[in-house]
Every structure is written in C-alpha cells, then in structure tokens.
Amino acid sequence: MSGGKEYPIEELVEMALKMKSYFGKKGGVTVSGGEPLLQSKELVSFFKRLKEEGIHTNLDTNGRILNHFAKELLDDYTDLVMLDIKHMTEEGFERITGMKNKETTFNLAKHREASGKKMWLRYVLIPNITNHADLLHHMGKYFKNYKTIEKIELQPYHKLGVHKWEALGWEYQLKDARENTEEEIQEAVAILKNYFKEVKIN
Amino acid sequence: MEVKQFKEGIWTEKINVRDFVINNVVPYHGTHHFLTGPSLKTQQLWDICKEATKEERQNNGVRSLDTDTISTVSAFNAGYIDRENEVIVGLQTDELLKRTMKPFGGFKVVQKALSEHGVQPNENLTALFSKYVKTHNDGVFDAYTSEIKKYRSLGFLTGLPDNYARGRVIGDYRRIALYGIDFLIASKMQDLENIEGPMSDAVIRLREEVSEQIKALKEMIELGDKYDLNLRRPAQNAQEAVQWTYMAYLAAVKEQDGAAMSLGNVSTFLDIFIENDLQDGLITEEEAQEFIDQFVMKLRMVRHLRMGAYDEIFAGDPTWVTEAIGGMFADGRTKVTKTSFRFLNTLYNLGPSPEPNMTILWSQDLPQNFKDYCSKVAIDTSSIQFENDELMRNNRGSDDYGIACCVSYQELGKSIQFFGARTNLAKTLLLAINGGRCEITGTQMVDGIETLDDTYLDFDKVMANYKVAMKEVARVYNDSMNIIHYMHDKYYYEKAQMSLIDTNPNIDIAYGIAGLSIVADSLSAIKYAKVRPIRNEDGLTVDFKIEGEFPCYGNDDDRVDELAKNAVADFNYELKQLPVYKNANPTMSVLTITSNVAYGKKTGATPDGRDKGVPFAPGANPMHGRDSQGAIASLNSVAKIDYNDSQDGISNTFSIVPKSLGADEDDRIDNLSTILDGYFSRNAQHVNVNVLDKETLLDAMERPEEYPQLTIRVSGYAVNFVRLTREQQMEVITRSFHESM
C-alpha cells in the first residue's frame, strides 16, 4: 500500500456520523479506491460499525479479489455493491487494466447474485474499445437474468484525467482513445435498455 | 356576481386572517406538472418591462424621476404598463419605474439622491423642508450624543436607519382582500374608542397612531378609486383577491421606502380564492397563473429613490419584497398549495429575478413533491432562499408569519420589528487588544480596558477585555436604537402598514452583528496558535504574526465553532440587559446584507491573519476559502449557532458548483432536498443556495449585456449580478464555491 493517509476506524465513523443527517433515504458511506477489497479485513470492522450506527454502506469495486474477508464484507456488511465492469473480453480487460482478471470480476458478480443483495454495474464507455454494439449486447445477455442488478451506470470516457497520469509518470494506456459523440452515447443507452431495468449516464 | 361562501369561524366576527386560512385552505401534495406557461398578455407586458429595465440600466440605474410630488398613498394618478393587457393593475406612480421623493425619512438624502442624477427637488419643497418641516433624520441628529456619532463615524455601528426609512414592518396585506376597508376602519374606530386614560405618553401616542392609521385606510380607498376598484368591500373572486392584496402592498410602497418592504405570506391565502374559482369553473389554470405572474411582475417593478452611498450597504437596488412560501400549520397539515407552486413558476414564466424575495419555509414534513420542486427552482435560478419552519414556528410560537427583510420571523398582523442594522464585532474585538482605542484612528472609545503589552496575545486577557468592550458597544448601540425608533415613530410613522396590523402589536427590536467568522477565527488563532501583534509608534496594532496552526470556523471543528457560538451568545446577552423604547423585545441577527465589504474597509488587520480593509464573510458564513473540509462541514459549523441567541436570524450563503451536486438533474434535485433536510434537522435557521460555476460570473462581468437576468443570492436576498459594483462582484467571486460535499 502506498500513498493516502491512515485514519483510525473510529475517526472515520465519527466523520460519517457528522454527516448522517444529510444522507436522507438514499445516502450513506461509499468506499472506493484504488481497490477497496485490498483492505477487506479492515473494511469489515469499519462497515460493521457503520451498520451499528444505521448507516447505509456502499462498496465501489472492480472485483479483483474474492477471499474470505471480501466475502464476509460483501455478505454481512455491504448494502450495495457498485461493480466496475472493465470489459467483456479478457484481451480488452488486459488492455485497460494491464491485468488478466476478468474472471474474478465475474465471479464476484455471481457471488453477489447468489447472496441476493443489491448491486449496480458501472461501465466506462470508450468509443470502439468498450462502446461497441457487440460488446454491449454481450454484456446485456450475460447479466440480463441477474435479479440483484438494479441499474447500470455509464461513464462516458473523457480526457480530463490524462494529465494526472502523465504527472505521475505513468504511461497512459488509452492515449489514443477519443471521447464519445452524443449519438454514440445514446446508441449505447438504447442497446443496454433492452437488458437492464435502468441505464444511467454519469 | 355571486358572493362565494367560505367556511365560517372566528374570522367572520373579528379580524383574524389566520383563522380564515386554516378553515378554508386546500393543501396540495401533488407535483408541478399542472403548471402552465405565461399567457400572451403576460408576455407582452413583460417585454415592455424588460425594455424599461434595460433603459434603466443604461441610464445610470434610474429611468425617470419625479421632483414635484411627495409620494403618499394617494398622491399619484393611476399608472399602467399597457392597460389592455393588465389583469392586475397599479403602479407606485403614473409611470413605470418612475422614482419618487419620500422625504420624511430625511430630506437631505432625497436632495443628494436627486442631485446625483442631475436634478433638484421643487423649490417650494426645498423651502418647506429647510424651514418648516422636520424629518426623521433631523430628529435623530438632534438627539444623538457625541458618543453615538463617534461610534457611527468610525464604523463600530454602521448602516443605522437614521437617514433612511427603517422598513421591516410587514402589513397584513391580506386583510383588505378578506374584509374590505370599511370593516377595517370600523374595527380601528372601535380600538380608538377603547384606548382610554389616564393619558400617559404611551396612551396619547397610541391614540394618535390609531387615528393616523384610520386616515391611511381612507387614503387607500381613494387609491382604489383611481383604478376603479372598490376596496371598501371584500374581494369577491380570485382576481379581486390578488388585486386587493396588491393594492394594500402598493399603498405601503407608495408611502414608505423602508430598506425592506416584505410582502408576508400571501400565497397560501390567495390560493383559497383561486381554488374556489377553479372549482366553480370561473377561471382556468392559465388565468390563475396569469394573476400570479402579473402580480409578481408588478412586485418586480417596485422602485425607491436611493443615493449612491446606500449601495454600499444594500447593493444592487434591492426592495426586499419578501414572500414566505410553504411551511406547516401547527395542526400538522402543510401550508403548501398550488399557488405556492404558481409563485415559484414565475421564475420560469418571467425568468429569474431577485424580487420578490421568495423564501421557502422548509420542514421535514413538507410534501416531497414540493421539496423537489423548490430544489429544482434553486438549481435552475439561484433566486430563492430557505428557512427552517420547524425551528421558527416552534421557537417563536405562530404558524402565520412572514419573513421581514432577509431572514427574520415576524408574526403577521400581530407583531412588528424595529430594524437595527448592525454593529461591527470584529472592531469590537480589536478594542480589546488596543486598550479601548479605535485601531485605525487611535480614538479612545471605551475606558477601563487594560493595555496589552505581552509579546504574544494571551487568550484569557483578550477575552476579559473583549467582554468589557462588548458591554460598552452594546450600550451605545442600544442608545442609538432607542433614539432612532422614537424619531421614526414621530416623523415617519408607517401609518398605512400599521393600519393593517393589530392595534398595539408586539415589537421585536432587531439588533445585528457583522464579522462573526473574523471574531471566531481570531479567538481561535489566539487560543490555539501564537499570535504576535505588530504595533505602530502609537501602540496600535497594524498587523498580526501567527505562529503555528489553528482551526478555522467552517470545518465542523468544535474547538473553533464553540468560539463562534459563544461570540453570538455573549453579545446577545449584553443587548438583552438593556431597556428598549416601547418595551420592545431584544433579538439579534447574524446578517450583513452586502455591508460585509464596507465593514471590512473600515476594519484594521485582525488576529486571524486577515489584512486591513479586506471584506468580511457575509452573515454567519465562514471566511472565504477557510472552509476547506467540504460543503457539509461548512453547513454544520453554521448550524451550531444557537437560534435562541440570534432570533432575528442567522444568514448563511452557500454556493456549490452544479457538478458536485450531482451528475444529472434528478440527482441534483434529490441531493439538494436531502442536504436541506439534513441542514435544517440540525436546527440551522437559514440558507441561500447558489448553484453555479464561477466561470458564469466571470463571463457576466465581461459581457453584462448578455446576462440581464442573472440572479445570485448574496446575504438574505438576491441581486441581479450585473447591477453590483465591480468590487462587490469580485467579493462574490472570491467566496467559497464548494466543489466537494
């Protein structure tokens, strides 16, 4: 683990409590990353405390890990999983993330479905790379019978992040990717609406 | 015409508008989808108004002036915008946007305002007012002590209503529609009959006041006659109800040019008449909206004659036609009606606007559809503000109230306010550090304050001195208020408004403070870091060097938020000890209007690291850029100020960029409604909501002609951004625009 700042769990709970009156019916605490499942063990204690305080818990993950702690976290303490689907093929997955772990993501989805608890999918739309009719149909067909999926959120790719990668001295894998046209976004929405209850553009 | 039968109650026998509303209102829980667009007539009228306001802007802010007539309720003949298209009639004068002289607040001010536009008052009037007629301003300065004058000129007390009308009084304008003037006169005659001796000052004064009120009511009948409206009798349908209510308000703004001339809470009341006519098939929804659109259009056209200097404290030519919308009844039903929606809909039909100053009375229990519509309107227009109905209704005791000026509770028809501007609490703190001397001029202001000569400021010593300074400043402030309100009653009594209020109402005096965040952060710096004052050869502080870190107000950190909370409580306590003219009940606000810029100019460097002359944060806001922990932490800090210590209101102006409020419109609406629920559940009192990007404002500075209606909430009111001075625009832009929650 590198970067970031360490907080004692109780301090985080305290911060959440100060905001609790603003959560309303839909709000709560979302843990994202990096990849939060890398800290599953600690998150079990954190989410457990949040549940004791009546706070909604939400995990934003790409599903890279599914060990004993991750399962406990998901099954017992996570109200909502937001699962990031990078790509529908292993090659695509590798191109985007530099790793071959399509299967773990899909295993996590299966595990969640079996537990019967809420899940949203998230998907970044990159013209031709992920925003491609065949891939979208593929994803739709794969997940269409999942009862726990409430909606899919689409994040149209934008180049605002490029400079951050460059500043960190990392090679930006998607340098050549371009942004979606409004038409391309709407076409993607139209396809996915055949398979998902709700399709949302972020 | 058939007279509509309403459900009877106490209101049938004696004046009690609240009882009428409770017995006849039809609360509405539905969505906004019933609303309609502007009628053709409304559009044609509004085009004329837009053209006229454009001419006004191009002509140095004034379209036309009258220099011959003293404006009174019945002084001018009927005026129209375009008679054919007007379903609601009435202008302050015989011409759209003409400004008039209301010289009883102060004749010199009128002369100055006119001369700034190259004209003079009629010679006869000038002779009259220089030799024979005394004004409020003359009276006040006859009675002012040299001490008060010193506090005033050095900027410890600022914006006092001693040369302009105090405003704030809200007439119960609904009364004319419900009862007709004949009934109101009869009722006041009865009151007068019952005011008997022994003839003490107070009794004599009250008899004179009620007699004045009766005269004003008779003048209002004349005003109606000029427009062929028979105001002697009650309104008999929806159109008349709106028209009669507007005539009552019009009478007030013809006679008085108070800083704030609030409307009250007419929307729920008017809905009863509208709903009746709709049910009976007498009008369509389009016509109902047309009445409200045209009423609101008239309210947008209200103007007063102001001098340039006035703009420093009340920037952008505001009139504070504040209308409270929504809220709950004590019996648990909502006060939201379809006409609540119709009022808000004017911001679409006529476009955004600072006036009328629409104020949502928020409760957890408001219908969700209404909450979400309000959030939508705030996001789309940045024109409305929100106040905590749960808090005010329960703390102050009535569910029938309006908002006086910006943020202040005022029970309708039963209570009034004495406006008290504000004192500069940051300068008061500097007295504590400078041996009771003004930090800029060295003038001795307060005796008995020990000189501090330690290298670093000692928190306990500063606090002890500060308490002495507060007590003295409060005393001088109270003296000035007693003089001002005595003289205002004597020379510029609000007879028209008071004729629509119960005889001998409850009175709150509305004191105020500015510089709260500066005081809190300064005390925090002294307590948690080391603060070394840099003094000039006269021993006055010119700068402060801070060593180490200290928590700043606005980050939900109790260490400093507690200091802010106590600063409010302590000064309020001092004020509460002092007797007030007419036995008014002391209340206090944390509110600056736009005077935070002027106050900053008059205040030297402060121990929080703020440089000399730098603007304060407005109202109860954290200082610009210091609330770095996100929007919610900032809101939480302000919510800690106890309403019991500041019953006149705690103003918070909150700006957030659209994308951080949510990805799309639905999310933003949802999130704003949730934030408001959360904020008010913590007993916060008020919030202005701006949802916009800084870039929009910067562009509007460059190309003002492209943004004639761009509206932004500043401090308890809204302004046309392009009507602010460049300096004020810059101050707005430097405020915190939250980019994270």
Side-chain angles (χ1 to χ4, degrees), chain A residues 17-26 200-202, chain B residues 556 632 635-636 664 667 670 674-675 678-679 681-682:
Chain A
L17 283 174
K18 282 184 167 186
M19 297 193 180
K20 192 179 170 190
S21 50
Y22 299 87
F23 291 156
K25 294 184 191 83
K26 299 181 191 166
K200 189 162 191 261
I201 313 284
N202 271 344
Chain B
D556 199 4
I632 287 173
L635 291 172
N636 279 353
D664 58 22
D667 277 359
D670 218 40
T674 306
I675 289 173
Y679 179 61
S681 76
R682 303 176 85 94

Side-chain angles (χ1 to χ4, degrees), chain B residues 40 193 407 546 586 645 688:
Chain B
L40 198 59
E193 202 57 36
V407 298
I546 304 168
D645 297 324
N688 277 314

Side-chain angles (χ1 to χ4, degrees), chain B residues 624-667:
Chain B
H624 319 322
R626 290 189 195 158
D627 45 352
S628 54
Q629 297 299 304
I632 287 173
S634 179
L635 291 172
N636 279 353
S637 283
V638 179
K640 289 176 199 170
I641 311 293
D642 191 340
Y643 182 64
N644 285 305
D645 297 324
S646 197
Q647 286 184 318
D648 195 57
I650 301 154
S651 173
N652 186 12
T653 302
F654 175 76
S655 302
I656 189 161
V657 302
K659 69 172 180 342
S660 66
L661 198 51
D664 58 22
E665 188 188 24
D666 287 347
D667 277 359

